[in-house]
Amino acid sequence: MEAEEGLRLGRSVAELRETFRSGRTRGVAWRKSQLRAILKLVDDHEDAIFEALHQDLGKHPVEVYRDEIGVVKKSATNSLSCVEKWMAPKKGQLPLLFFPARGEVLPEPLGLVLIFVPWNFPIALALDPLMGAISAGNTVVVKPSELAPACSSFLANTLPLYLDSKAVKVIEGGTDISQQLLQQKWDKIFFTGSTRVGRIVMSEAAKHLTPVTLELGGKCPIILDTLSDPSEIKVAAKRIAGGKWGPCSGQACIAIDYLLVEQKFASTMIEFLKKTISRFYGENPKNLKNLSRIVNKHQFERLRNILEDPSIAASIIHGGSLDEKNLTIEPTILLNPPLDADIMTEEIFGPLLPIITLTNIQESIEFINSRPKPLAIYAFTKNDSFKKKILAETSSGSVTFNDTMIQFVCDSLPFGGVGQSGFGRYHGKYSFDTFSHEKAVLHRSFFLDLEPRYPPWNDFKMQFIRFAYMFDYLRIVLLLLGYKLKKIFSPGHLA
Amino acid sequence: MASEDKKPKAACFDGEAARSLVKELRGTFDAGKTKSYEWRVSQLKSLLKLTKDHEDDIIDALRSDLSKPVLEAFVSEIAMLKSSCEFTLKQLKRWMVPEKVKTSITTFPSSAEIVPEPLGIVLVISAWNYPFLLSLDPVIGAIAAGNAVVLKPSEIAPATSSLLAKLLGEYMDSSAVKVIEGAVPETSALLEQKWDKIFYTGNGKVGSIVLAAAAKHLTPVSLELGGKCPVIVDSNINLITTARRIIAGKWGMNNGQACISADHIITTKDFAPKLIDALKVELVKFYGNDPLASEDLSRIVSSNHFARVTKLLDDDKVSGKIVHGGQKDQSNLKIAPTILLDVPEDSLIMNEEIFGPLLPIVTVDNLEDSFNIINSGEKPLAAYLFTNNKKLKEAFVRNVSAGGLLINDVALHITNPYLPFGGVGESGIGSYHGRFSFDTFTHKKAVLYRSFTGDASARYPPYTLGKLRLLKALLSGNILGIIRALLGW
């Protein structure tokens, strides 16, 4: 059974290589047709997508549109209008010495691309990287997550109806299929997921010297400076709640993981947060509205274990109730749980928000720096010098001031991690670049062949080359005119 | 015998030593020392001074390691390094400035920028063929980007390795820039540590090992590898210039031991004899009638590599195809410029990177066939074409995939600081030179500034159909749509 699977996979990959070699995916017409097809697919099947995401994660259609469909459509539209520009060679500057010559950088597709999709944004994080790979002219295999089965089937059944199935394939399956895929030789692997699996993917890729992009996660902190204006505190509370429980109930790589605030401001903020939670999600923990559920029992148990740990349970100040049947967990706030507990050492990836109080908000910088670099840092502050300090002294994939999550829809900003949160980036033109090879091309002419390039070597040639490297054209001309210039070179080295 | 009482000459650099090395460098980096513009400039200036002050020592070390001709040492290593340093010093301030980027109505009101920041502590593993340049050029990039650096020079070029250790120790800030000499055990100890970036120049086999070690810590890696860089030669060219440029790009580059040197030639059956004759004539002009005695040719770096290269000629079917050269001097590790014609496709010399002074010429009926031949192999670091035919040039650029392409010359593209230098596929990952060096050791941090005003309630629950409409409009950036949605139409 496994051998059969392996053979089928090998055949699919061989077919994709053949397609790439034929050159079909290179032309701009093909790329645009595929991007348009994705746009049409999403338009035609909006309801089916809502349904699939409701099944897999209990997402509300508005959440689906905001986080997945809308993002994909925006990205497709942007790619369609820009792809030709992105494909154009970039003219390079050339020092005069190279004259006559022409230099440029020409982007070309890498070839065969493998995209691993995570379960939390199973449509967007499949289609968005796919569009990047297509706009760069590659053939692609998309491997959706088996933990979001309705979306996986949707992609497997629908993509072939809209896209060139000799160039884009969806291969469903679990860990064993992923492992088999990793045995093949790819020209690029794009992985979104956990650090644990990221390591495995990179190790396998190393065998074939395959470049990878790893979009991982981390504990994304929010630094909350003390605010005095109640309208601003209200906005902050909305954005914090929206950035914690809004995206897939906290199961997102850029979701707020924990919050840092000064002791004196904490209780005010907590009150605002509680009010916001009840406004957003309702008062009844048994009937929470507008909130995704936990993806599966395994993750639910993981979060339950965290909450039931006595040292953590003691710090719960809001929420904490679990609905095993529906796999939902109430938006939960904790105050100062022990820093060495799992909740503060592992990425939470769930609807639990630890609040850590500090004497002075400036301490947040050291707090963050003593932990692995996260994908995003959020900071709510009006203090410009504090903003500069945060930028200069912390490191993360991105920093967003006075809002949460929204950097994701800013196409002109690269989206990616650093350190444990990953490497490589995408969105907008960065998607095109991440699936391209930038080929340097230099055109020279036969005209003007410089003698001094060639042996046998002598003093004259040495002088010439010295001046050439300094781009000292005046001296070169003088030298050529026969002027005897002061000998810089020490005797004895050249006979 | 008092040998049991003798202390070891130097403590061997093991895992413990590597761990404390990394700890020290992290301390330096975390203290912020390497981040300032002033520090970076002072270190780059020290590198420049070191190179200028010790030019003779460097040339001597290169002669000791590779019998590198003085002018070649100067041109391809010292001058290149100085030029790279000066270019970086001139541009650095500009590179360090955050890049403002546009924002769209979707995030209105907002402003955004991309802020370059150092990755942290960086490991540079260098190669033996341009041991000075390939050690310090990446170090320039690492320092320019504000990182702390460990350089591991190649032990196969020992004179240069110890010179680098000595000079960097004297001229550079040793709390942030260190040289660790050694071979496999030392390199392995270093690779076990967690680095923020690893930059490796060398061969694919070791590159794979470096990548696997980096995977454990999710460390991003640049690999500058090699490949069989082909030279396609058309018949409608200036023959003498072509021959000279091929020679300069093959034997003039460390006697063929360079990642971008011409590995083999592909030309038409008809043209091959003319090309061979021209090459022979120019070879004599360059290196005389007894090339083994010429001072203008590097030797083979070591007896291991000498054995490896001569093994390529071992096969009768190969040695019988020698049309020029073939002389060897084992005691001096010298091999004369050797040209072969039409060796069998499956021979070792046609399947491994030669990295030596043997130049096979492969003949085809049609020059366009050469593109398929090249594309059916592993992607090389560079590919070259000599022609005056515009269509052929265009087809070459469009169809041949390699790290870089150069038309009507060999190797020269690496001296241009405005072109990225790096491979693709088996020839490597990442690129450097000029600004690309700075970028390769930098994290470009995305920063978005928002204000408390302009909050679209459509983002938040409770979710309604009206909000859905507004979100659709907002995300599409369609102003009319936004207005309509806001007005409830």
Side-chain angles (χ1 to χ4, degrees):
Chain A
M1 187 55 183
E2 211 182 280
E4 212 182 284
E5 196 63 66
L7 276 172
R8 196 167 62 84
L9 227 109
R11 273 200 299 272
S12 294
V13 168
E15 185 178 10
L16 290 170
R17 279 223 180 276
E18 196 43 56
T19 306
F20 184 73
R21 234 195 299 264
S22 77
R24 186 153 91 242
T25 62
R26 312 280 302 239
V28 66
W30 181 87
R31 303 184 201 196
K32 281 186 159 175
S33 77
Q34 299 300 290
L35 292 171
R36 269 186 226 111
I38 291 179
L39 210 43
K40 190 161 194 305
L41 180 161
V42 169
D43 265 334
D44 291 349
H45 296 270
E46 197 174 278
D47 288 340
I49 295 174
F50 286 149
E51 179 54 39
L53 280 161
H54 178 73
Q55 267 188 53
D56 281 338
L57 291 152
K59 282 193 193 185
H60 188 285
V62 174
E63 195 185 318
V64 170
Y65 196 90
R66 185 196 67 207
D67 295 347
E68 303 218 41
I69 296 180
V71 165
V72 169
K73 284 170 77 162
K74 187 170 186 291
S75 180
T77 312
N78 187 42
S79 302
L80 270 164
S81 65
C82 295
V83 65
E84 227 160 330
K85 186 167 39 128
W86 294 341
M87 284 169 68
K90 275 197 294 271
K91 294 268 170 259
Q93 247 179 293
L94 283 179
L96 191 58
L97 192 70
F98 281 78
F99 181 84
R102 221 173 12 104
E104 62 187 9
V105 176
L106 183 62
E108 59 173 32
L110 289 164
L112 205 52
V113 165
L114 172 61
I115 296 175
F116 282 107
V117 187
W119 52 257
N120 55 352
F121 295 87
I123 299 295
L125 298 184
L127 297 181
D128 203 11
L130 173 61
M131 288 192 289
I134 286 175
S135 64
N138 300 282
T139 55
V140 194
V141 165
V142 175
K143 161 68 184 72
S145 170
E146 70 280 18
L147 300 179
C151 290
S152 179
S153 305
F154 171 79
L155 290 169
N157 294 333
T158 323
L159 254 61
L161 301 175
Y162 285 77
L163 298 180
D164 181 346
S165 56
K166 287 199 157 50
V168 180
K169 294 189 188 291
V170 179
I171 295 183
E172 293 189 88
T175 321
D176 45 332
I177 292 291
S178 297
Q179 273 167 359
Q180 294 214 30
L181 281 168
L182 284 169
Q183 301 313 307
Q184 301 289 324
K185 179 172 170 355
W186 305 91
D187 299 305
K188 172 88 188 197
I189 298 178
F190 187 97
F191 172 82
T192 310
S194 71
T195 47
R196 187 185 66 86
V197 182
R199 276 193 200 96
I200 297 172
V201 169
M202 192 176 166
S203 304
E204 293 297 327
K207 298 186 180 134
H208 297 288
L209 294 171
T210 298
V212 305
T213 290
L214 300 179
E215 296 273 334
L216 309 176
K219 291 181 77 62
C220 301
I222 171 164
I223 302 171
L224 180 60
D225 200 358
T226 303
L227 303 166
S228 44
D229 181 347
S231 66
E232 288 178 352
I233 302 178
K234 215 164 151 202
V235 170
K238 279 201 292 185
R239 291 178 179 178
I240 293 170
K244 175 69 184 188
W245 297 287
C248 210
S249 216
Q251 302 165 100
C253 52
I254 45 169
I256 298 173
D257 189 277
Y258 64 96
L259 188 147
L260 296 165
V261 68
E262 273 177 1
Q263 173 63 48
K264 64 181 203 276
F265 184 51
S267 45
T268 313
M269 197 59 220
I270 291 169
E271 282 319 303
F272 272 85
L273 274 174
K274 285 184 183 177
K275 284 205 200 87
T276 310
I277 290 171
S278 74
R279 211 173 58 241
F280 282 4
Y281 306 112
E283 296 275 349
N284 185 356
K286 287 272 178 281
N287 188 15
L288 293 163
K289 299 211 183 309
N290 306 307
L291 195 66
S292 298
R293 65 154 209 264
I294 306 304
V295 66
N296 58 25
K297 205 142 194 307
H298 173 72
Q299 292 295 325
F300 186 88
E301 288 308 318
R302 179 181 64 84
L303 291 163
R304 187 219 289 274
N305 288 335
I306 291 177
L307 282 176
E308 290 181 347
D309 177 341
S311 62
I312 294 177
S315 62
I316 299 177
I317 55 168
H318 180 89
S321 63
L322 308 128
D323 181 348
E324 189 167 349
K325 180 160 148 278
N326 292 314
L327 290 180
T328 46
I329 298 179
E330 197 189 349
T332 302
I333 304 177
L334 305 95
L335 185 57
N336 288 320
L339 293 179
D340 58 356
D342 275 350
I343 199 176
M344 285 309 295
T345 57
E346 312 254 319
E347 188 174 0
I348 297 170
F349 230 67
L352 321 177
L353 178 67
I355 295 181
I356 309 291
T357 58
L358 308 165
T359 331
N360 186 325
I361 198 64
Q362 306 277 335
E363 295 163 33
S364 56
I365 291 182
E366 206 195 303
F367 191 97
I368 292 170
N369 283 345
S370 60
R371 288 161 172 78
K373 299 179 186 183
L375 192 48
I377 290 178
Y378 302 105
F380 278 68
T381 179
K382 299 177 78 166
N383 182 338
D384 276 341
S385 61
F386 187 41
K387 287 184 192 174
K388 288 204 179 77
K389 196 157 187 270
I390 292 170
L391 274 183
E393 295 181 19
T394 63
S395 182
S396 55
S398 66
V399 179
T400 302
F401 290 108
N402 298 331
D403 209 334
T404 59
M405 306 294 298
I406 200 164
Q407 75 276 18
F408 193 79
V409 293
C410 186
D411 263 345
S412 53
L413 283 176
F415 182 77
V418 65
Q420 298 293 100
S421 49
F423 53 80
R425 58 216 186 144
Y426 72 128
H427 283 186
K429 178 165 194 293
Y430 299 103
S431 291
F432 177 88
D433 290 345
T434 213
F435 292 105
S436 295
H437 165 55
E438 306 220 298
K439 188 164 70 181
V441 182
L442 185 61
H443 294 253
R444 289 262 298 158
S445 106
F446 291 105
F447 182 57
L448 276 198
D449 199 26
L450 291 175
E451 263 305 319
R453 277 179 69 181
Y454 310 112
W457 306 126
N458 56 41
D459 275 357
F460 170 85
K461 291 184 180 179
M462 180 53 130
Q463 282 287 61
F464 185 97
I465 287 169
R466 276 186 185 280
F467 298 146
Y469 266 99
M470 295 192 288
F471 298 121
D472 191 342
Y473 300 113
L474 178 60
R475 283 212 172 79
I476 290 178
V477 170
L478 292 175
L479 181 69
L480 287 170
L481 288 175
Y483 282 86
K484 286 205 170 22
L485 292 154
K486 193 170 94 167
K487 213 166 171 198
I488 310 169
F489 195 65
S490 62
H493 269 118
L494 286 177
Chain B
M1 280 252 298
S3 58
E4 304 89 55
D5 300 335
K6 246 205 275 183
K7 270 208 189 133
K9 212 163 38 159
C12 91
F13 184 83
D14 59 4
E16 195 48 57
R19 244 186 312 274
S20 54
L21 169 76
V22 165
K23 192 155 172 259
E24 185 191 345
L25 288 170
R26 281 224 178 276
T28 308
F29 180 77
D30 288 344
K33 192 161 187 210
T34 61
K35 295 189 185 176
S36 74
Y37 174 70
E38 291 70 30
W39 183 88
R40 305 181 201 194
V41 165
S42 79
Q43 294 302 287
L44 292 171
K45 286 197 173 139
S46 297
L47 269 176
L48 208 48
K49 190 165 193 306
L50 166 175
T51 309
K52 288 189 176 144
D53 291 351
H54 294 268
E55 198 173 289
D56 290 348
D57 294 327
I58 296 165
I59 289 177
D60 284 341
L62 290 169
R63 201 208 331 250
S64 164
D65 283 333
L66 293 149
S67 295
K68 204 170 270 214
V70 173
L71 209 133
E72 217 189 291
F74 179 77
V75 167
S76 63
E77 299 221 41
I78 295 173
M80 283 271 292
L81 203 270
K82 285 201 327 218
S83 166
S84 173
C85 215
E86 279 157 3
F87 185 83
T88 304
L89 276 163
K90 259 217 310 243
Q91 309 277 345
L92 182 57
K93 211 172 203 147
R94 194 167 348 143
W95 294 344
M96 285 173 70
V97 172
E99 178 194 342
K100 294 249 174 283
V101 295
K102 281 208 299 244
T103 54
S104 70
I105 197 166
T106 311
T107 56
F108 182 84
S110 63
S111 65
E113 60 182 7
I114 300 173
V115 176
E117 59 174 35
L119 287 164
I121 62 171
V122 160
L123 173 62
V124 173
I125 301 176
S126 172
W128 55 257
N129 56 345
Y130 289 84
F132 183 73
L133 176 70
L134 298 179
S135 295
L136 295 187
D137 205 3
V139 168
I140 289 176
I143 289 176
N147 301 282
V149 195
V150 168
L151 167 65
K152 212 307 272 167
S154 171
E155 70 280 15
I156 301 178
T160 311
S161 176
S162 44
L163 183 64
L164 283 168
K166 175 165 160 292
L167 292 180
L168 263 66
E170 280 170 22
Y171 282 75
M172 309 295 285
D173 177 351
S174 56
S175 71
V177 181
K178 294 190 189 286
V179 180
I180 302 292
E181 295 191 82
V184 173
E186 288 77 8
T187 311
S188 304
L190 286 168
L191 284 173
E192 269 169 30
Q193 299 304 309
K194 176 170 167 8
W195 302 92
D196 298 306
K197 172 90 187 194
I198 298 177
F199 188 101
Y200 170 79
T201 308
N203 68 61
K205 195 163 72 75
V206 178
S208 192
I209 295 171
V210 170
L211 204 46
K216 302 203 181 90
H217 298 288
L218 296 169
T219 299
V221 178
S222 277
L223 297 178
E224 295 273 331
L225 310 176
K228 291 183 76 61
C229 302
V231 183
I232 305 175
V233 182
D234 199 358
S235 48
N236 64 348
I237 44 147
N238 181 324
L239 186 51
I240 296 179
T241 306
T242 300
R244 278 147 52 118
R245 289 178 181 180
I246 290 176
I247 296 172
K250 173 75 174 186
W251 297 284
M253 298 202 67
N254 216 19
N255 210 7
Q257 301 165 99
C259 51
I260 41 158
S261 74
D263 182 272
H264 59 282
I265 291 182
I266 306 176
T267 189
T268 54
K269 288 189 167 46
D270 292 332
F271 195 65
K274 295 199 191 80
L275 181 58
I276 292 171
D277 285 339
L279 284 169
K280 285 183 180 182
V281 165
E282 295 304 315
L283 275 169
V284 168
K285 279 203 204 135
F286 283 18
Y287 305 117
N289 281 309
D290 183 14
L292 288 176
S294 168
E295 293 253 313
D296 292 334
L297 277 172
S298 297
R299 67 155 207 265
I300 306 302
V301 67
S302 68
S303 47
N304 278 344
H305 278 275
F306 186 89
R308 180 187 62 80
V309 176
T310 48
K311 179 152 174 270
L312 297 174
L313 292 174
D314 255 351
D315 188 344
D316 279 338
K317 291 198 217 82
V318 171
S319 55
K321 303 286 186 185
I322 295 178
V323 295
H324 180 87
Q327 307 97 305
K328 299 174 260 194
D329 175 355
Q330 184 155 11
S331 53
N332 287 312
L333 293 179
K334 290 205 168 199
I335 300 178
T338 302
I339 304 176
L340 306 96
L341 180 58
D342 282 332
V343 293
E345 238 177 75
D346 58 355
S347 53
L348 210 56
I349 197 176
M350 285 312 293
N351 287 287
E352 277 189 9
E353 187 176 359
I354 295 168
F355 227 71
L358 319 177
L359 181 68
I361 299 183
V362 173
T363 57
V364 291
D365 292 313
N366 271 317
L367 225 46
E368 279 83 358
D369 298 340
S370 61
F371 298 166
N372 283 335
I373 296 175
I374 298 170
N375 284 339
S376 65
E378 294 177 352
K379 297 181 184 182
L381 190 50
Y384 307 105
L385 169 67
F386 283 85
T387 186
N388 271 316
N389 181 334
K390 190 161 183 276
K391 277 210 156 64
L392 194 63
K393 287 182 195 178
E394 282 166 12
F396 176 69
V397 170
R398 212 177 31 245
N399 295 318
V400 174
S401 184
L405 301 178
L406 178 45
I407 294 181
N408 292 335
D409 213 326
V410 177
L412 210 65
H413 59 305
I414 62 163
T415 59
N416 181 345
Y418 296 99
L419 288 176
F421 177 66
V424 64
E426 286 87 352
S427 51
I429 299 175
S431 61
Y432 73 128
H433 283 187
R435 191 196 178 128
F436 303 98
S437 291
F438 177 85
D439 289 346
T440 212
F441 291 104
T442 293
H443 166 55
K444 300 273 180 93
K445 186 159 71 177
V447 182
L448 184 65
Y449 295 88
R450 290 266 294 163
S451 79
F452 288 96
T453 53
D455 201 29
S457 68
R459 285 168 65 180
Y460 309 113
Y463 298 131
T464 63
L465 227 61
K467 286 188 180 180
L468 180 60
R469 260 200 302 268
L470 182 54
L471 268 176
K472 287 193 179 194
L474 267 174
L475 279 164
S476 73
N478 181 336
I479 302 205
L480 219 54
I482 295 173
I483 294 176
R484 276 212 288 269
L486 283 169
L487 290 174
W489 292 352

